[in-house]
């Protein structure tokens, strides 16, 4: 029988922070019900041999340099993952003849997420999200969130999908639980609406990067640090409003045929200048980074790592040992830069998006 996980705003964890040398913290909070279901369900499927390979403890190193890139050696994913579908357009229609998440082994499903009554007692619009294992995992707990699988939505973000992604991060007490999305043309491998979720026990710079405020009314920011992208921030009370604005941005990018990657993580509030260490360790809310980038349609993949949602955020799953051991921060920046929009195109897009949000 399919396990159902019913949640509400009361399940959001509002007090999370990271430790630092100057700001030690108490013992981390215990796992939430959400964490237990994901972690135990995932481990059970691993024990039952439902993955393409046994993940094990990944060899990990932090590349020297200000970006703090987290490099991990994951050779088996590069070799044994399912061949990505041929993507020809950011607006490509769903094709029922191709692989999709209605064709998986039912044992790969961890649970079905359903949102219950909110704090004022009203029921939201019905939402059914199936959570299943990613059989070619990046890290521990790597799962997929698939809203309304039987509706066969193509890989284009919806407000519901964004909201579920934000709420999933808020329901975890682990500061390293991440959620992400690859659009078509940005290394999405399946054209069936889904988000990735996984645990990474390392801090990423995007959690505390400084920003420039672009549209105050929409809480729309630009990330100052490399790689150039946009940022939103929300705590538990503003999820619906922020999800709506993020969807306006991603809909605009789809309309302009601009591929994009989205990364959701616990992060500190957005600051234009470095704050004190205590403020930088706050993780009460969720940062949502949106990176517009060059489209890749049938392009040859990089030998070291592909540039998708986790690589842009600073998490680098390497495909081979030689590149993993020799890569420097400069090497990583050089690879990532090839997939970003030129500065003039990015600045033009930034202006268009700011104008679009002001009138929407």
């Amino acid at each position: 029988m399919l396990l159902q996980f019913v949640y509400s705003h009361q399940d959001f964890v509002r007090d999370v922070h990271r430790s630092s040398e100057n700001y030690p913290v108490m013992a981390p909070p215990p796992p939430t019900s959400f964490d237990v279901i994901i972690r135990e369900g995932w481990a059970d499927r691993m024990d039952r041999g439902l993955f393409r390979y046994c993940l094990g403890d990944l060899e990990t190193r932090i590349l020297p340099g200000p970006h703090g890139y987290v490099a991990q050696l994951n050779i088996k994913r590069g070799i044994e993952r399912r061949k990505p579908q041929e993507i020809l357009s950011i607006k490509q229609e769903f094709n029922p003849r191709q692989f999709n998440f209605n064709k998986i082994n039912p044992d790969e499903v961890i649970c079905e997420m359903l949102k219950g009554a909110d704090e004022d007692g009203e029921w939201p619009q019905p939402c059914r999200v199936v959570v299943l294992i990613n059989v070619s995992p990046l890290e521990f707990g790597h799962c997929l969130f698939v809203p309304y699988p039987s509706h066969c939505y193509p890989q284009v973000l919806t407000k519901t999908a964004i909201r579920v992604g934000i709420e999933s991060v808020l329901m975890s007490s682990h500061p390293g639980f991440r959620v992400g999305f690859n659009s078509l043309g940005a290394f999405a491998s399946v054209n069936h609406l889904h988000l990735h979720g996984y645990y990474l026990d390392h801090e990423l710079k995007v959690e505390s990067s400084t920003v420039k405020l672009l549209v105050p009314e929409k809480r729309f920011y630009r990330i100052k640090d490399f790689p150039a992208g946009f940022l939103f921030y929300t705590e538990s009370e503003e999820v619906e409003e922020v999800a709506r604005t993020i969807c306006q941005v991603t809909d605009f990018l789809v309309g302009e045929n601009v591929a994009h990657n989205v990364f959701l993580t616990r992060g500190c509030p957005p600051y234009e200048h470095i704050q004190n260490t205590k403020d930088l360790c706050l993780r009460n809310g969720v940062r949502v980074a949106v990176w517009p980038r060059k489209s890749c349609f049938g392009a040859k993949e990089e030998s070291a790592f592909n540039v998708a949602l986790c690589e842009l955020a600073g998490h680098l799953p390497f495909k081979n040992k030689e590149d993993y051991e020799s890569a420097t921060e400069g090497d990583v920046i050089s690879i990532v830069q090839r997939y970003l929009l030129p500065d003039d195109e990015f600045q033009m897009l930034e202006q268009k998006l700011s104008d679009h949000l002001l009138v929407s």
Side-chain angles (χ1 to χ4, degrees), residues 91-108:
K91 304 174 186 178
Q92 190 163 311
E93 294 182 0
F94 177 88
N95 184 347
R97 295 185 297 275
Q98 291 184 316
F99 170 80
N100 61 74
F101 300 117
N102 294 312
K103 298 182 178 183
I104 64 166
N105 179 347
D107 289 341
E108 296 174 14

Side-chain angles (χ1 to χ4, degrees), residues 57-336:
D57 293 327
L58 295 175
E59 189 174 342
T60 303
R61 74 186 186 99
I62 309 301
L63 303 190
H67 288 276
Y69 286 119
V70 179
Q72 292 189 314
L73 184 60
N74 193 340
I75 296 174
K76 290 183 178 179
R77 177 173 167 83
I79 296 172
E80 300 186 27
R81 64 179 297 204
R82 181 183 292 109
K83 182 180 179 181
Q85 293 174 2
E86 183 178 15
I87 304 299
L88 303 175
S89 167
I90 294 169
K91 304 174 186 178
Q92 190 163 311
E93 294 182 0
F94 177 88
N95 184 347
R97 295 185 297 275
Q98 291 184 316
F99 170 80
N100 61 74
F101 300 117
N102 294 312
K103 298 182 178 183
I104 64 166
N105 179 347
D107 289 341
E108 296 174 14
V109 177
I110 294 175
C111 69
E112 178 183 63
M113 287 174 51
L114 300 168
K115 189 166 185 183
D118 58 24
E119 292 175 346
D120 59 11
E122 294 183 4
W123 287 84
Q125 291 294 319
C127 178
R128 177 176 182 264
V129 177
V130 171
V131 184
L132 52 124
I133 60 171
N134 187 322
V135 295
S136 302
L138 286 166
E139 247 289 7
F140 180 84
H142 190 177
C143 57
L144 302 175
F145 298 92
V146 184
Y148 306 105
S150 61
H151 289 198
C152 300
Y153 294 125
Q155 183 69 347
V156 175
L157 268 180
T158 64
K159 190 187 78 169
T160 294
I162 297 168
R163 178 174 59 76
V164 169
I166 295 173
E167 291 175 341
S168 297
V169 175
L170 287 172
M171 283 192 290
S172 175
S173 62
H174 195 304
F177 182 70
R178 332 285 183 160
V179 171
F181 171 86
N182 297 321
S183 81
L184 301 178
F187 284 110
S189 59
V190 178
N191 187 17
H192 189 183
L193 180 58
H194 65 284
L195 293 89
H196 296 260
Y198 68 97
Y199 293 87
L200 178 70
D201 286 326
H202 297 276
E203 185 173 4
L204 299 174
K205 190 174 182 181
V206 70
E207 297 175 35
S208 57
S209 296
T210 54
V211 298
K212 177 183 177 181
L213 181 58
L214 299 176
V215 183
E217 300 90 333
K218 299 288 188 175
R219 303 188 185 99
F220 181 53
Y221 301 85
R222 172 166 51 82
I223 300 171
K224 288 183 178 179
D225 296 322
F226 179 88
F230 304 112
L231 187 87
F232 295 87
Y233 175 82
T234 180
E235 296 189 2
S236 56
E237 296 79 14
E238 304 92 21
V239 172
E240 191 75 22
E241 180 183 350
V242 172
R244 183 182 303 110
T245 306
I246 295 169
C247 194
Q248 289 174 340
V249 168
T250 55
D251 281 350
F252 183 88
L253 294 176
V254 171
E256 295 287 312
N257 285 304
V258 177
H260 48 282
N261 303 99
V262 182
F263 192 80
L264 300 84
T265 182
R266 289 276 182 175
C268 70
Y271 298 115
E272 296 211 13
H273 305 286
I274 300 229
Q275 302 296 300
N276 60 59
T277 303
K278 183 176 180 180
D279 288 341
L280 289 177
C281 289
L282 290 175
R283 295 295 182 269
N284 298 340
V286 179
R287 284 184 165 214
V288 182
V290 180
W291 286 287
R293 41 88 57 78
K294 294 177 182 176
S295 298
C296 298
F297 298 125
K300 182 180 179 181
E301 296 185 352
E302 295 283 345
S303 61
F305 57 84
N306 296 333
V307 177
L309 66 93
C310 59
E311 291 82 3
L312 288 167
H315 171 210
L316 312 171
F318 277 83
K319 303 176 186 178
N320 66 79
K321 194 172 184 66
E322 180 180 358
D323 286 324
Y324 167 77
E325 292 179 339
S326 65
T328 66
E329 184 175 278
D331 296 332
V332 173
I333 291 174
S334 177
I335 292 173
V336 172

